[in-house]
Amino acid sequence: MKRFLLLAIVSLLYTIEVFATHNRAGEITYSQVAGLTYDFTISTYTKSSSVDADRSELMIFWGDGTSTMLPRTTEAELGNDIKLNRYTGRHTYSGPFNYVVYVVDPNRIESILNISNSVNVPFYIEDTLKILDPTVYGFNNSPILLNPPIDFGNVGEVFLHNPNAFDPDGDSLSYVLIPPKQGVGMNVPGYVSPAQINPGTDNVLTLNSATGELRWDAPQRQGIYNVAILITEYRNGLVIGTVVRDLQIIIQASNNQPPVIEGKEEICVIAGDTINELYIATDPNAGNQIRFISNGAPYLVAQSKAQFNVVSTGNPASAQFYWPTTCDHLRNTSYQVVIKAEDNAPIPLVDLKTVTIKVLAPAPENFTAVYNPAAHNVKLTWDANYACRGSDKFQGFSVWRKQGCGYQVDSCNNNLEALGYTKLGETTSNEWIDSDLKRGVDYSYVVVAEFASKSQIGLLYNKFQGISSEEVCVELPLNIPVFYHVDVKNTDPANGSIYVEWSKPQAEVLDTVVNRGPYKIILFRIENGNRTQLKETIAQTYSSVWDTTFTDTGLNTVANQYTYILEFYVAGDDLLGESLEASSIFLSVTPSNETLALNWSANVPWTNEMYYIHQQQEDGSFIMIDSTAETTYLHSSLSNDSTYCYKIEGKGNYNREGLKYPLINFSQIVCEQPKDTTPPCPPVLRVENFCTNDHLDKNTFVNYLSWNFARNCTDSVAVKFYIYYKENNTAQYALIDSVIGAQERQYEHHLENNSLTGCYQITAIDEVDNVSPLSNEICVSDCPVYELPNTFTPNGDGVNDLYTPIIPYSGVSRVEMKIFNRMGNLVFETTSPDINWDGKDQKTQKEIPTGVFYYVCEVYFGTLDGESRLERPLSGYIHLIRGK
């Protein structure tokens, strides 16, 4: 009897494995046809040798409660037991909404190292389709993933993969690694990052969130791995969709080494210019030959496509990227080209070069600025015949201004706001009048072309700018006073003082005939937006204006930075203008281990070209220890817990004839003590359980935590570790325990609810209680192992008298087990995972004679999002056998 039961179980498992050895990788993409109608493509990469599991059609769930069986429209053998399948179909939705479109198919291939029992894990991929009103937001298509989701690598060699996603609408994309899924909201069981298989400081997996390049430095174990990449699509900062790529990584162990590509990774080009870049690949294995492959959006554009031409073959090999760009290629995001050099080994190794290309609109030409003193305004003009005016994205021009001059155009970094510019406005003409001017100020102007896509009702999205014009600088007449000094003379919390000095208006530009006396200058201190009048000077004639200094006392110069402004009146009470604000230099000092970081700021109308750092000596005097043009300084190699005092001297000028030079001003004095405030590095956490390690006891619900520090960690001194845990995604992390000792880097978390589900993070604490950032988050879910036999013998001999699942089972919170006789009548049901059917009719409690019974069993298990159930219920037949 035991032999019969064992053979039946083995036969059942063999049948499941043959059926399941199938899916490797894939994704879903879509394009908007019209209105609420979309075309979808399911791309799967399967195991060619699994003929019995080949799918000529595949079910897609549209996210609106309906589903469709899509036919396979493409199939291709790719070699290495890999087959490409594409299934296509069209669907029309009822209205705007967020739809999760998904495909689930039994099953993944066997022996995936970072997924438990992968042969019995369903393959699941999904997209989030966010349908917005197309008349407002425009049409939306998902990114197109130009590189296939299977790549090969080698043990000990850097592995690279880039999906090379191209968004046809110019939307921004971001990338993040997530666990692969086996169903809606269900991660695959026992998932760990590939870097956690044989973990260590030389086993690090990273994903570039901007380019999508996955880098694994370096795999330590031969085998098959799967990860998933979530690609999120943004328009005007709004998430408008996601695509999930399920990626398979196949790592071999050979003496082969991948080629190495040399060439540019970032290219900036002005529309109308031609890119002509050479890439050279060399293989360390002299006998290997190299093949170049390249794909990316520039090869897909409608007009003036890019070309990738092989220049030389062999080893080394070279190829040339050639692209004559036009205004039709303008878009708000960079283009991406992936260049792959592949050797000719039986399982080829590759190197990738991810190249980002900015195609920028040219600058407006012949930009000029003319000041009109009578109207007190500046007229800006530029060429109306702009080079990319014919682009369907062209929207006009914007005019930008900042105080001061000296801007240089950088075509690859045209962030005007970061350079201190403020947008004055936009126009479709080729001129602008700026009337909002402060007297005596130098203004720098630039103009740029503006571009955007447009919805059906004319709303703009995915805006971007061209290169700014050359700067034009306008010096307005200096007919009002300007500040020379805001100089801290005394540092004190109550009796601090600041010396303030300003100039008389320049006589040659004041025009005392038009602007007659009496003249009045009022000095204000500004605090929290409010003005406090400090001094008023009145003179009947220009020559008698002489009182231009003031010492402001009774201040808290220890804690506060003070700002001043001047008002200048002519003809008694006629306000001619205000000066620009001027503040004191304010110093702050931040302590760390044997180091003090000095930072200071000053809002002044002149340019501080150099700062001098002064340190106080034991006799109270100050000496200069260094100088810098920056506003930060790091003073290191100091003694912890010793006091050091500093003040900053600023040296500046207006770069105007007739004004005082140099302008010397000091900050307040600040004292501080260095101390160790540097936290340890965040630990690198790993979590194992019987889902991920077959050698662990499946009857004991324990998560085994271990951790270390990354190899590039510069501060790994820790004496204690805090363990944080949360049960699910809706819970908050709580401190559950601590581990004391620098070398103690393991922890066993015993769970009492027969579930392994939860998330963990840890922190490291050093001997002076500095706490590291949180470690990486590791989340684990139950891996339901639950198999049912097809026979039992309730004959009272103490063997197989109860029908139970095959022991041990794990990760199952409850079941819904129903057993029917051949007439379809229910004879037994239970929610207990143990089942324990004794062969009696549950209602009558009479023994049931020998026979065959049919069962249906829904299996429930814990996940991070709560209890879930297997995608499909278990079902089959039970042979009840009486007699000895």
Side-chain angles (χ1 to χ4, degrees):
M1 184 59 63
K2 291 181 180 179
R3 180 175 179 274
F4 171 79
L5 178 61
L6 178 61
L7 288 174
I9 295 170
V10 170
S11 175
L12 176 63
L13 293 178
Y14 178 79
T15 302
I16 291 174
E17 183 165 341
V18 169
F19 176 74
T21 307
H22 184 55
N23 283 290
R24 292 181 178 275
E27 67 257 353
I28 306 169
T29 55
Y30 57 85
S31 60
Q32 190 168 4
V33 178
L36 300 172
T37 301
Y38 293 78
D39 281 343
F40 287 82
T41 299
I42 307 166
S43 299
T44 66
Y45 293 73
T46 57
K47 191 172 183 179
S48 300
S49 57
S50 295
V51 178
D52 293 340
D54 191 42
R55 307 278 189 266
S56 61
E57 54 185 7
L58 208 55
M59 181 77 75
I60 187 169
F61 296 83
W62 301 114
D64 58 0
T66 66
S67 59
T68 303
M69 191 70 77
L70 298 187
R72 180 165 57 194
T73 54
T74 301
E75 55 181 317
E77 294 291 342
L78 305 180
N80 293 309
D81 204 15
I82 300 169
K83 182 179 181 180
L84 165 64
N85 311 270
R86 286 203 171 99
Y87 308 81
T88 58
R90 179 170 292 183
H91 187 67
T92 300
Y93 290 90
S94 59
F97 193 67
N98 291 353
Y99 300 95
V100 177
V101 182
Y102 67 91
V103 170
V104 60
D105 182 37
N107 273 5
R108 296 176 182 269
I109 70 168
E110 73 277 16
S111 303
I112 299 175
L113 293 181
N114 62 328
I115 298 175
S116 294
N117 195 26
S118 63
V119 67
N120 289 322
V121 176
F123 178 75
Y124 175 92
I125 47 177
E126 71 177 24
D127 286 359
T128 301
L129 174 63
K130 187 172 185 178
I131 300 182
L132 304 171
D133 186 345
T135 62
V136 177
Y137 295 97
F139 274 29
N140 181 46
N141 305 283
S142 76
I144 302 169
L145 279 57
L146 301 175
N147 278 338
I150 295 182
D151 261 326
F152 295 89
N154 197 28
V155 169
E157 301 287 346
V158 175
F159 169 85
L160 296 170
H161 171 81
N162 194 320
N164 202 4
F166 163 60
D167 192 280
D169 308 310
D171 296 318
S172 300
L173 303 177
S174 69
Y175 305 81
V176 66
L177 280 173
I178 62 172
K181 294 183 181 295
Q182 61 176 333
V184 179
M186 297 168 54
N187 293 341
V188 295
Y191 173 79
V192 296
S193 166
Q196 293 301 310
I197 304 296
N198 291 31
T201 56
D202 54 353
N203 192 348
V204 179
L205 186 73
T206 58
L207 179 69
N208 188 310
S209 62
T211 67
E213 183 172 282
L214 180 72
R215 180 182 179 89
W216 186 2
D217 185 9
Q220 299 296 304
R221 182 174 168 187
Q222 180 181 8
I224 300 172
Y225 304 81
N226 270 71
V227 298
I229 300 175
L230 174 66
I231 305 171
T232 303
E233 188 181 6
Y234 295 88
R235 180 173 297 176
N236 288 357
L238 177 71
V239 175
I240 60 171
T242 64
V243 170
V244 172
R245 156 162 282 191
D246 199 301
L247 166 69
Q248 185 156 100
I249 302 170
I250 303 173
I251 301 299
Q252 61 176 329
S254 73
N255 294 325
N256 191 24
Q257 294 174 284
V260 177
I261 303 174
E262 295 181 2
K264 283 187 178 180
E265 294 183 351
E266 294 185 3
I267 298 174
C268 293
V269 61
I270 298 174
D273 292 345
T274 297
I275 302 173
N276 203 341
E277 291 293 336
L278 184 67
Y279 290 87
I280 300 173
T282 305
D283 196 302
N285 305 279
N288 281 351
Q289 300 292 299
I290 300 172
R291 180 171 73 107
F292 267 116
I293 307 166
S294 181
N295 56 33
Y299 306 114
L300 304 176
V301 295
Q303 304 288 335
S304 190
K305 291 181 171 64
Q307 300 174 26
F308 192 72
N309 303 312
V310 174
V311 177
S312 64
T313 59
N315 184 9
S318 61
Q320 195 165 41
F321 177 76
Y322 175 82
W323 190 19
T325 64
T326 72
C327 293
D328 293 329
H329 300 147
L330 295 174
R331 54 185 283 152
N332 70 310
T333 54
S334 297
Y335 290 88
Q336 185 168 282
V337 169
V338 174
I339 298 172
K340 178 187 290 187
E342 179 181 270
D343 66 23
N344 62 340
I347 297 181
L349 295 181
V350 303
D351 186 26
L352 295 183
K353 179 75 72 174
T354 300
V355 184
T356 56
I357 303 172
K358 289 183 180 180
V359 181
L360 297 171
E365 296 182 341
N366 296 322
F367 183 46
T368 62
V370 177
Y371 173 64
N372 183 343
H376 190 51
N377 64 31
V378 173
K379 183 177 182 179
L380 307 167
T381 60
W382 57 93
D383 282 355
N385 188 22
Y386 178 63
C388 288
R389 182 179 282 274
S391 168
D392 59 359
K393 294 183 174 67
F394 177 72
Q395 303 299 323
F397 303 94
S398 61
V399 179
W400 298 71
R401 184 187 77 183
K402 75 169 184 177
Q403 294 180 13
C405 300
Y407 163 68
Q408 296 294 324
V409 173
D410 180 356
S411 59
C412 286
N413 182 16
N414 202 37
N415 187 338
L416 295 174
E417 289 185 352
L419 294 169
Y421 281 88
T422 301
K423 183 191 284 189
L424 298 181
E426 298 183 3
T427 179
T428 56
S429 72
N430 66 318
E431 66 175 44
W432 183 270
I433 303 294
D434 182 17
S435 301
D436 183 21
L437 305 174
K438 292 184 177 180
R439 296 179 181 273
V441 177
D442 298 346
Y443 287 111
S444 169
Y445 295 92
V446 294
V447 61
V448 298
E450 295 282 345
F451 297 83
S453 297
K454 187 182 296 185
S455 71
Q456 295 176 10
I457 61 172
L459 293 181
L460 302 180
Y461 62 93
N462 288 345
K463 297 179 180 180
F464 62 99
Q465 297 175 339
I467 300 173
S468 67
S469 67
E470 294 289 341
E471 170 202 59
V472 293
C473 191
V474 177
E475 292 186 353
L476 300 188
L478 197 59
N479 54 7
I480 58 172
V482 296
F483 284 107
Y484 283 151
H485 295 287
V486 180
D487 184 14
V488 178
K489 292 297 185 182
N490 184 37
T491 301
D492 192 88
N495 296 310
S497 62
I498 294 178
Y499 171 74
V500 185
E501 181 182 341
W502 57 94
S503 73
K504 295 170 57 173
Q506 290 184 331
E508 59 271 23
V509 296
L510 178 60
D511 194 347
T512 56
V513 174
V514 176
N515 300 306
R516 296 179 178 274
Y519 303 101
K520 180 167 58 176
I521 301 175
I522 303 178
L523 172 67
F524 294 91
R525 183 175 63 234
I526 302 175
E527 295 178 274
N528 300 319
N530 299 316
R531 296 187 180 189
T532 300
Q533 182 173 326
L534 301 177
K535 181 181 180 70
E536 179 179 301
T537 300
I538 299 176
Q540 296 300 316
T541 63
Y542 176 82
S543 60
S544 61
V545 177
W546 60 271
D547 193 357
T548 57
T549 64
F550 180 77
T551 299
D552 195 10
T553 59
L555 305 176
N556 181 1
T557 51
V558 172
N560 298 327
Q561 182 179 34
Y562 291 94
T563 301
Y564 301 87
I565 194 169
L566 296 162
E567 292 179 351
F568 181 55
Y569 294 84
V570 297
D573 293 314
D574 185 6
L575 178 64
L576 184 62
E578 293 181 344
S579 72
L580 295 178
E581 296 178 2
S583 76
S584 58
I585 300 174
F586 190 77
L587 171 64
S588 61
V589 181
T590 304
S592 60
N593 186 36
E594 299 181 351
T595 302
L596 292 173
L598 282 65
N599 296 269
W600 58 91
S601 64
N603 177 27
V604 293
W606 60 85
T607 300
N608 277 323
E609 57 194 23
M610 188 61 66
Y611 296 97
Y612 300 94
I613 297 93
H614 297 261
Q615 181 183 346
Q616 192 171 36
Q617 304 303 292
E618 292 183 0
D619 62 1
S621 64
F622 281 83
I623 63 168
M624 187 187 75
I625 60 171
D626 212 337
S627 63
T628 177
E630 307 299 325
T631 56
T632 61
Y633 181 76
L634 205 63
H635 198 190
S636 56
S637 300
L638 305 177
S639 298
N640 283 346
D641 302 322
S642 296
T643 300
Y644 299 84
C645 298
Y646 306 89
K647 63 180 178 180
I648 303 299
E649 175 190 359
K651 178 183 177 182
N653 69 84
Y654 278 103
N655 290 316
R656 279 252 193 141
E657 288 188 15
L659 294 182
K660 185 177 180 180
Y661 173 81
L663 304 178
I664 304 298
N665 293 276
F666 283 87
S667 73
Q668 87 282 20
I669 298 169
V670 178
C671 299
E672 188 57 85
Q673 294 181 341
K675 56 185 177 180
D676 184 3
T677 60
T678 303
C681 302
V684 179
L685 175 63
R686 180 187 182 190
V687 179
E688 279 195 320
N689 50 44
F690 59 69
C691 293
T692 62
N693 189 334
D694 293 336
H695 299 293
L696 295 175
D697 184 3
K698 290 182 170 53
N699 294 313
T700 304
F701 288 84
V702 179
N703 284 322
Y704 297 88
L705 282 65
S706 60
W707 56 89
N708 213 322
F709 292 100
R711 62 179 174 181
N712 58 352
C713 171
T714 58
D715 191 342
S716 59
V717 177
V719 297
K720 184 166 54 176
F721 300 90
Y722 286 153
I723 316 295
Y724 295 90
Y725 169 76
K726 66 177 183 179
E727 294 181 352
N728 51 55
N729 284 334
T730 60
Q732 299 294 320
Y733 271 105
L735 177 65
I736 59 170
D737 210 339
S738 62
V739 174
I740 298 175
Q743 304 305 318
E744 295 297 324
R745 298 184 180 181
Q746 294 181 339
Y747 180 76
E748 296 182 8
H749 187 203
H750 293 257
L751 297 103
E752 299 177 353
N753 57 353
N754 290 341
S755 173
L756 297 168
T757 302
C759 295
Y760 297 89
Q761 286 185 294
I762 64 173
T763 57
I765 298 90
D766 65 17
E767 58 187 2
V768 291
D769 291 330
N770 292 314
V771 180
S772 77
L774 286 166
S775 71
N776 56 309
E777 180 184 60
I778 297 291
C779 294
V780 294
S781 294
D782 289 325
C783 53
V785 177
Y786 197 72
E787 298 175 283
L788 298 176
N790 59 6
T791 187
F792 80 119
T793 58
N795 55 13
D797 65 356
V799 179
N800 293 334
D801 285 337
L802 295 177
Y803 182 79
T804 65
I806 297 172
I807 304 299
Y809 68 86
S810 64
V812 177
S813 56
R814 65 185 178 94
V815 300
E816 292 178 359
M817 178 71 166
K818 294 183 179 182
I819 302 175
F820 304 88
N821 63 19
R822 297 182 63 181
M823 305 300 296
N825 297 321
L826 180 68
V827 296
F828 182 82
E829 65 178 331
T830 183
T831 60
S832 170
D834 293 330
I835 303 176
N836 288 330
W837 182 34
D838 58 4
K840 295 180 181 179
D841 186 303
Q842 196 169 33
K843 289 184 179 179
T844 66
Q845 287 299 304
K846 293 182 178 180
E847 289 187 349
I848 298 175
T850 296
V852 178
F853 299 83
Y854 178 74
Y855 70 85
V856 177
C857 183
E858 297 278 9
V859 179
Y860 292 83
F861 59 97
T863 72
L864 295 172
D865 296 317
E867 189 179 62
S868 187
R869 68 179 181 182
L870 291 181
E871 184 73 19
R872 296 181 181 179
L874 303 180
S875 62
Y877 294 92
I878 302 170
H879 294 261
L880 186 157
I881 301 173
R882 296 216 180 258
K884 299 296 182 181

